[in-house]
Amino acid sequence: MSQLQDSFGRRFHYLRMSVTDVCNFKCTYCLPDGYRPDGKPKFLALNEIENLVAAFGEVGTQKIRITGGEPTLRKDFTDIIRVVADNDNINTVATTTNGYRLEKHAKEWYDAGLRRINVSVDSLDPKMFYQITGENKFDQVMRGIDAALEAGFERIKINAVLLKGLNDKDLPRFLHWIKSTPIDLRFIELMETGLGHDYFNAHHLAGLDIKLKLESEGWLYDLPSVDDGPAQNFSHPDYQGRIGLIMPYAKNFCASCNRLRVSAKGKLHLCLFTENGLDLRDLLQHESQRAELIERLHSQLAQKEETHYLHQGITGVTKHLASIGG
C-alpha cells in the first residue's frame, strides 16, 4: 500500500502509540492533581495493538514510540514491545517513560526489542525534581538511566520541559552531565493545554533563548533523519551527548511534521491539539479488517490541518498531554 501522506505533501513515517493514559507521577505541567480516570478505562488489548502495528507498517511507518500516560504501568509492557519489534516493517522501537521501573527492567525491555528510550527528568536538583513531579524518585530514575546505558540502548534521550522560575537555572548542570555521558538532552518548550492557561502564562520559556546560547558556544545543528521527531538537534566536539530543542511556537514548526498518534483507546489523532480523534477500534479486531483500516487511515490524512493553532491560543480538546501520549 502507498505511503501515508497528507494534502500538504507531508509523509508520515512515525507513530506515537499510547497504551495507557494512567500515570503515577503528578507533574505540575501535565497532571498536577494526579491521574483521574474518566470512567472505566479499557485500553487497547495486545491483539488490537498487533493489528494496529501491522496496518501502519504496511503504509510506511518505520518508527513506533510506545507512550502513555506511563506505558510501563501495563503489566504486558514487555509483550507490547515484542509485538512491535516482531513486525518487519518497523525499524525503530522506542518508548517514553518517567523511568521509575527502568532500573529493574532495562535489560528485559532491550532483549524484547526496545532500542530507544526517552526518560523524563525535568531537573537535576532532587528537590526541584520532587517539586515538579510530585514524586521523590530522583535517585531511582537516575539509577534507571544508568541501567539503560549498561543495557546497550542505541539512543537514550532525557526530556526536560522548560519551566520559567523552576528549572530554568539547570542548564549548566545538564551540560556538565552530557560532557562525558552519551545521552541526548531534549528541552521541550511548554505548550498550553486546556487545563493549563494560568500555568502556561506563569512558566512558559521560549526555547529560542537556549538555542542562541548554544550556538554562541559552538554547538552545531545536526541534519534530521526521516523518522526523527520535531526536535532541532545540536552537537559539540567537546561533548559526548547532544542537545535537542522542541519549540512548537517557532516559525514553520509543523512544516516537517511526520508523526501521527493513536490513543490508548484506539483513536487516531492527526495532531496533538485541535481535534477529538477518529475511532479505529472497530477495525482492530481481526486481521481480515486490515484493508478497510488502511483505507480509513488514508482518507483521514486528507483532513489534517497545515498547522496547530497554539499561536492563537487555541488548544483544542487536549486537556492534558497524558491523554494522548504527548
Side-chain angles (χ1 to χ4, degrees):
M1 297 292 289
S2 59
Q3 168 79 53
L4 287 178
Q5 181 173 318
D6 69 9
S7 56
F8 303 97
R10 294 174 296 195
R11 293 171 175 263
F12 296 87
H13 306 275
Y14 178 9
L15 173 66
R16 295 179 63 97
M17 180 182 69
S18 178
V19 295
T20 180
D21 62 14
V22 181
C23 189
N24 58 326
F25 278 27
K26 298 182 287 290
C27 295
T28 55
Y29 54 82
C30 186
L31 292 172
D33 299 319
Y35 174 71
R36 296 182 177 183
D38 182 14
K40 187 177 181 181
K42 187 178 180 183
F43 304 125
L44 291 175
L46 202 60
N47 71 297
E48 293 174 309
I49 291 172
E50 186 172 12
N51 289 328
L52 179 73
V53 170
F56 271 91
E58 287 193 16
V59 290
T61 298
Q62 300 173 15
K63 175 182 177 180
I64 291 182
R65 179 173 297 279
I66 306 166
T67 69
E70 173 49 45
T72 68
L73 287 171
R74 290 266 307 231
K75 293 180 180 179
D76 58 351
F77 181 65
T78 302
D79 295 325
I80 294 172
I81 294 171
R82 195 170 289 115
V83 161
V84 179
D86 284 349
N87 188 294
D88 291 338
N89 291 316
I90 307 303
N91 300 327
T92 303
V93 186
T95 196
T96 297
T97 174
N98 60 30
Y100 91 107
R101 293 186 68 203
L102 190 53
E103 181 182 10
K104 293 182 179 179
H105 298 279
K107 184 65 166 61
E108 173 190 332
W109 297 338
Y110 181 87
D111 290 344
L114 191 66
R115 287 298 176 264
R116 298 187 182 185
I117 193 161
N118 289 19
V119 186
S120 297
V121 182
D122 292 308
S123 177
L124 292 180
D125 176 352
K127 292 182 179 179
M128 182 56 66
F129 180 93
Y130 181 31
Q131 182 177 336
I132 294 173
T133 66
E135 294 292 335
N136 190 20
K137 289 185 167 66
F138 175 78
D139 290 338
Q140 181 178 336
V141 171
M142 296 303 285
R143 289 195 303 270
I145 294 168
D146 289 338
L149 286 165
E150 292 174 9
F153 284 93
E154 66 182 43
R155 183 165 293 175
I156 299 170
K157 295 180 181 178
I158 306 303
N159 290 348
V161 176
L162 294 171
L163 299 168
K164 183 173 65 178
L166 294 173
N167 64 3
D168 49 343
K169 306 299 183 186
D170 265 16
L171 183 58
R173 292 190 190 198
F174 279 113
L175 288 174
H176 178 74
W177 187 22
I178 67 170
K179 184 86 171 180
S180 56
T181 308
I183 55 177
D184 287 6
L185 284 178
R186 297 205 321 170
F187 294 112
I188 304 170
E189 196 170 327
L190 182 66
M191 292 171 276
E192 184 176 357
T193 60
L195 295 180
H197 180 73
D198 292 339
Y199 189 93
F200 176 82
N201 286 339
H203 296 294
H204 177 256
L205 179 66
L208 181 61
D209 296 340
I210 292 181
K211 178 180 178 179
L212 294 174
K213 178 176 175 58
L214 293 174
E215 290 176 337
S216 71
E217 295 178 357
W219 289 81
L220 302 173
Y221 177 70
D222 297 334
L223 292 175
S225 62
V226 68
D227 64 351
D228 277 348
Q232 296 183 34
N233 294 305
F234 298 84
S235 58
H236 193 291
D238 297 334
Y239 287 77
Q240 287 196 35
R242 298 193 309 166
I243 293 179
L245 296 172
I246 295 181
M247 300 180 288
Y249 294 89
K251 185 178 180 180
N252 297 324
F253 176 77
C254 297
S256 60
C257 182
N258 65 352
R259 63 173 60 184
L260 298 169
R261 293 171 172 82
V262 172
S263 75
K265 296 180 182 178
K267 284 192 172 184
L268 173 69
H269 290 266
L270 304 176
C271 179
L272 184 57
F273 299 94
T274 74
E275 38 82 31
N276 286 288
L278 172 81
D279 198 3
L280 302 178
R281 201 162 196 174
D282 59 311
L283 298 180
L284 297 178
Q285 305 311 306
H286 305 286
E287 184 179 344
S288 60
Q289 298 174 293
R290 190 172 306 164
E292 188 178 355
L293 174 58
I294 288 173
E295 183 179 348
R296 184 177 293 180
L297 294 176
H298 278 292
S299 67
Q300 284 304 301
L301 262 294
Q303 311 301 318
K304 184 168 172 60
E305 301 278 359
E306 186 175 12
T307 182
H308 59 57
Y309 297 100
L310 292 175
H311 296 92
Q312 292 99 306
I314 300 172
T315 61
V317 300
T318 303
K319 293 182 178 180
H320 51 74
L321 298 184
S323 62
I324 55 172

